[in-house]
Amino acid sequence: MVDFQQKEAYKFEDLLRIMELLRGPEGCMWDREQDHSSIRRNFIEETYEVCEAIDEQDPEHLKEELGDVLLQVVFHAQMEKEKGVFDIDDVADGICKKLIYRHPHVFGDVEVGSSAEILSNWDALKRKEKHQATDTSALQSVAKSLPSLVRAEKLQKKAAKVGFDWEDAAGAFGKVEEEMDEVRRAMHGDGDPEEEVGDLLFAAVNAARHLKVDPERALEKACEKFIRRFASMERQAKEGDKALADLSLAEMDALWNRAKEQE
């Protein structure tokens, strides 16, 4: 057994110690075997679970999921501490300096009159800080690991800041229609279907942005709606002593339309 004091309540320092012990010679074999790549997906999954807790407006669930994300931060920092590269204090030092630098209207003598002006200053300071000398470098800085809908929206917003954007939603929707035609042509051998579908999705994100709709959130709601209506279809089929697989497509379509009408 490792030397660790059991407590009624623990603090951040205890979490650091626990992780150090878990990665230590008398700790957990699984924890010692991990590296940044092996637990990379865990970080993504835990972050999405925080988002789910936020959507549920459940403080207890949110507290738990924030703890899981904090564990991931501590886990990765401990790995680098063991190699002598950096530790959690260096992580805190970096973010503190970044916040101070990017809030000159709070920690300096810059005056601002609106949140829009604050965001504009933030972007300018970020580009200077990251040595993004060109507009293209600003696009390239958007993480490739982001969900593609989120990444597309961020790319479009950055391009819009230099004026490369539709004047209104009508132009964006015109592009969606154009891309739909190209997908149709690709269906019949005129073009690459994957490329054209990608262009269509990118155009749809742009249209959503002009409507001030979060495309990721919109698609998430559409998925939930699909599940809800599918469940209604299945209930209706069972009321007729049938499984969905026993129905024709036309019959399922009729149940779908009924489920839609009932909402």
Side-chain angles (χ1 to χ4, degrees):
M1 180 180 292
V2 297
D3 181 19
F4 182 75
Q5 180 185 358
Q6 303 287 331
K7 299 180 180 181
E8 285 278 337
Y10 298 93
K11 296 185 180 295
F12 183 65
E13 292 76 13
D14 297 310
L15 175 58
L16 297 179
R17 178 60 178 153
I18 288 170
M19 179 50 62
E20 187 175 50
L21 291 171
L22 289 174
R23 292 273 298 177
E26 297 181 34
C28 172
M29 182 184 301
W30 183 88
D31 287 292
R32 288 199 304 269
E33 291 174 347
Q34 303 313 305
D35 58 25
H36 294 304
S37 296
S38 68
I39 61 171
R40 175 184 179 276
R41 180 164 179 169
N42 299 48
F43 214 143
I44 296 172
E45 292 173 355
E46 300 296 358
T47 302
Y48 273 105
E49 289 178 11
V50 167
C51 294
E52 184 174 345
I54 291 172
D55 292 340
E56 292 173 351
Q57 298 183 353
D58 184 340
E60 283 300 314
H61 189 195
L62 178 59
K63 179 178 68 175
E64 177 188 353
E65 299 303 341
L66 286 173
D68 290 342
V69 169
L70 184 58
L71 169 62
Q72 295 300 311
V73 174
V74 169
F75 207 149
H76 286 280
Q78 176 62 27
M79 293 179 191
E80 292 304 305
K81 179 181 179 181
E82 292 164 4
K83 295 185 287 186
V85 180
F86 64 78
D87 61 18
I88 196 68
D89 287 334
D90 296 311
V91 174
D93 174 69
I95 189 60
C96 286
K97 288 176 177 175
K98 181 186 293 185
L99 288 171
I100 293 168
Y101 174 73
R102 294 189 187 176
H103 289 82
H105 55 288
V106 176
F107 301 103
D109 55 6
V110 173
E111 295 185 4
V112 294
S114 67
S115 293
E117 192 174 346
I118 290 171
L119 292 176
S120 179
N121 289 344
W122 176 283
D123 287 338
L125 289 168
K126 182 177 179 179
R127 288 190 61 166
K128 181 178 179 182
E129 177 185 359
K130 294 183 176 295
H131 307 291
Q132 295 172 359
T134 66
D135 295 319
T136 299
S137 64
L139 297 184
Q140 292 169 335
S141 71
V142 177
K144 294 180 180 179
S145 57
L146 285 171
S148 294
L149 290 179
V150 176
R151 187 179 180 216
E153 184 184 30
K154 289 178 74 71
L155 290 171
Q156 291 165 3
K157 284 182 176 179
K158 287 183 179 295
K161 287 176 181 177
V162 298
F164 188 63
D165 195 11
W166 299 104
E167 292 184 1
D168 53 31
F173 274 98
K175 187 64 175 176
V176 171
E177 292 170 353
E178 176 186 322
E179 297 298 347
M180 286 180 63
D181 288 338
E182 293 188 8
V183 171
R184 292 189 185 98
R185 290 202 297 272
M187 287 172 56
H188 298 93
D190 182 13
D192 180 353
E194 181 182 55
E195 179 181 350
E196 299 305 340
V197 169
D199 290 344
L200 174 59
L201 292 173
F202 193 85
V205 170
N206 216 354
R209 183 175 60 85
H210 275 273
L211 292 176
K212 301 188 185 309
V213 169
D214 179 344
E216 185 76 16
R217 181 68 171 156
L219 185 55
E220 178 186 328
K221 288 184 176 180
C223 289
E224 291 303 314
K225 180 168 63 178
F226 180 84
I227 294 172
R228 189 169 62 248
R229 291 179 179 175
F230 191 91
S232 177
M233 285 172 52
E234 189 168 31
R235 284 194 301 270
Q236 293 178 67
K238 284 184 177 179
E239 289 170 0
D241 295 323
K242 292 184 177 181
L244 286 176
D246 298 329
L247 304 178
S248 67
L249 181 58
E251 289 172 321
M252 284 191 282
D253 193 46
L255 294 183
W256 176 271
N257 289 332
R258 190 181 306 162
K260 184 177 179 180
E261 291 171 359
Q262 291 173 350
E263 287 191 346

